[in-house]
Amino acid sequence: MGIPQPAFYLFKCEQSAPPGMPKPSCVTNETRDLFQHLAQRLMEKGIIGTVQPVRTGCLNRCQYGPVMLVEPGHIMYSHLTKEKIDRIIDEHIIGGRPVAEFMIEAEAWDEPISPEQMMKMTGAR
């Protein structure tokens, strides 16, 4: 018997921009401990084995940062705080009910584009 697959992957943007950059950053002095908080809460709840937190680079939604993408479901949460992370774990990950009030605005998150469609749009071969 193999090791079970995680039920969820939580992709937390850990991109930090140098001071003075025009676009916002998901990691600042005020938000640098959010990933640690996420992992700690998953351990405290006893679900770290089935919920995999993943540090990622930029998820291209800088103005909504800090952000986290939850898979399955393709749900992105924005403007994260420790309190929001706690509710996302309790209500979405454990309770099965995504927290709509923390989701990225619909205008910022269109339907996915296939690689083939993207290649046509960019003229790549």
Side-chain angles (χ1 to χ4, degrees):
M1 183 170 156
I3 298 171
Q5 294 182 42
F8 290 95
Y9 290 91
L10 308 180
F11 297 96
K12 166 65 181 68
C13 177
E14 289 291 288
Q15 187 69 42
S16 73
M21 290 296 287
K23 70 180 191 174
S25 179
C26 279
V27 177
T28 65
N29 287 335
E30 296 79 28
T31 63
R32 98 173 44 261
D33 62 346
L34 289 180
F35 185 85
Q36 182 62 35
H37 179 81
L38 171 65
Q40 183 70 35
R41 285 294 184 258
L42 296 172
M43 285 188 269
E44 289 170 1
K45 299 280 185 181
I47 59 174
I48 192 88
T50 192
V51 181
Q52 182 66 55
V54 180
R55 293 178 191 264
T56 70
C58 186
L59 293 171
N60 295 316
R61 296 299 180 271
C62 305
Q63 66 273 29
Y64 297 95
V67 297
M68 180 172 68
L69 177 64
V70 176
E71 294 292 352
H74 209 61
I75 294 173
M76 184 172 279
Y77 290 108
S78 65
H79 306 292
L80 292 176
T81 63
K82 290 177 182 178
E83 294 76 20
K84 287 182 177 183
I85 288 171
D86 292 347
R87 280 193 55 201
I88 291 165
I89 291 170
D90 289 341
E91 296 175 30
H92 181 168
I93 305 304
I94 296 171
R97 295 173 313 278
V99 187
E101 66 192 272
F102 301 158
M103 288 182 200
I104 199 162
E105 298 172 0
E107 301 82 39
W109 196 242
D110 278 340
E111 292 300 313
I113 296 174
S114 73
E116 182 182 45
Q117 289 171 304
M118 182 60 84
M119 290 173 69
K120 287 178 183 175
M121 288 172 53
T122 62
R125 296 177 196 207

